[in-house]
Amino acid sequence: MADETVFTIDDRTSGDYSTGTGGSWRLVTDNVMGGVSAGKLTVDNVDNRPCLRLRGQVSTENRGGFIQAALDLESESLRDASAYEGVAIEVYGNGEPYNLHLRQDGLWLPWQAFRTSFTASSQWQTHYLPFAMFKPYKTSAKLKPDRLTRIGLVAIGRDFDADLCLGKIRYYSSR
């Protein structure tokens, strides 16, 4: 995107699960709710690019159906994205659709979020996901980009093998 203003959340140069802007990625699976999906979160290098890799088997058995790489937004600069249009992610994957979930304060139930989808192809791509594309899930709240608390990369909703690599994630604006 030309004349883009960005705030980098994570460029994966830390070499571990931390972001460099505060906070660390962690794995969350449907096991917390009785599901049987299995996942692994690793630090990797794909096509000479450092990345965070989410792999596993998503299973809808036992009312489950997700694995997630979650990042709690700990600093005010990460929580307030109101100066930006959306989230840009550089991803590599296995041709499957995935979700990006945003949570904000005031959402109490673990399944509540604002969601949008993207497909991760087998070559590095940047997806620009405007806040307007995120749809509320199990909430009547409106998305408030100045009150974000968590970002999640999620393999969800059907039985499949997940393989998703995150190279960079940032807020963007072309204004």
Side-chain angles (χ1 to χ4, degrees):
M1 222 175 232
D3 299 326
E4 181 179 68
T5 302
V6 300
F7 179 87
T8 300
I9 299 165
D10 190 8
D11 62 7
R12 298 309 312 136
T13 57
S14 69
D16 58 23
Y17 296 100
S18 66
T19 65
T21 55
S24 293
W25 293 95
R26 63 187 173 91
L27 177 69
V28 179
T29 70
D30 59 17
N31 301 156
V32 299
M33 302 180 313
V36 296
S37 297
K40 188 185 329 183
L41 190 61
T42 58
V43 175
D44 208 337
N45 192 300
V46 174
D47 285 348
N48 296 314
R49 294 176 89 164
C51 64
L52 185 73
R53 193 167 203 169
L54 176 66
R55 284 179 154 166
Q57 295 77 41
V58 179
S59 172
T60 56
E61 287 183 43
N62 256 12
R63 300 179 57 169
F66 77 89
I67 61 173
Q68 175 179 193
L71 175 65
D72 290 326
L73 304 176
E74 296 178 358
S75 70
E76 188 57 37
S77 59
L78 290 173
R79 288 175 172 255
D80 186 355
S82 60
Y84 302 95
E85 290 177 42
V87 180
I89 54 173
E90 293 179 19
V91 293
Y92 178 101
N94 58 352
E96 297 285 349
Y98 295 91
N99 278 11
L100 187 70
H101 292 188
L102 300 176
R103 286 187 49 88
Q104 67 189 28
D105 60 12
L107 298 181
W108 304 112
L109 301 173
W111 48 81
Q112 293 176 310
F114 298 89
R115 301 175 169 190
T116 195
S117 297
F118 62 92
T119 299
S121 71
S122 59
Q123 60 186 6
W124 284 103
Q125 283 186 304
T126 300
H127 293 275
Y128 291 88
L129 307 170
F131 290 128
M133 283 180 55
F134 287 81
K135 303 296 180 214
Y137 182 78
K138 304 279 183 170
T139 179
S140 60
K142 303 277 189 247
L143 177 61
K144 296 179 181 166
D146 63 333
R147 296 173 50 192
L148 300 178
T149 59
R150 181 190 286 177
I151 293 176
L153 292 160
V154 190
I156 191 169
R158 60 197 166 74
D159 297 320
F160 75 106
D161 290 331
D163 190 357
L164 175 65
C165 299
L166 173 69
K168 291 183 183 177
I169 183 168
R170 62 191 186 271
Y171 299 131
Y172 77 91
S173 180
S174 57
R175 295 177 227 168

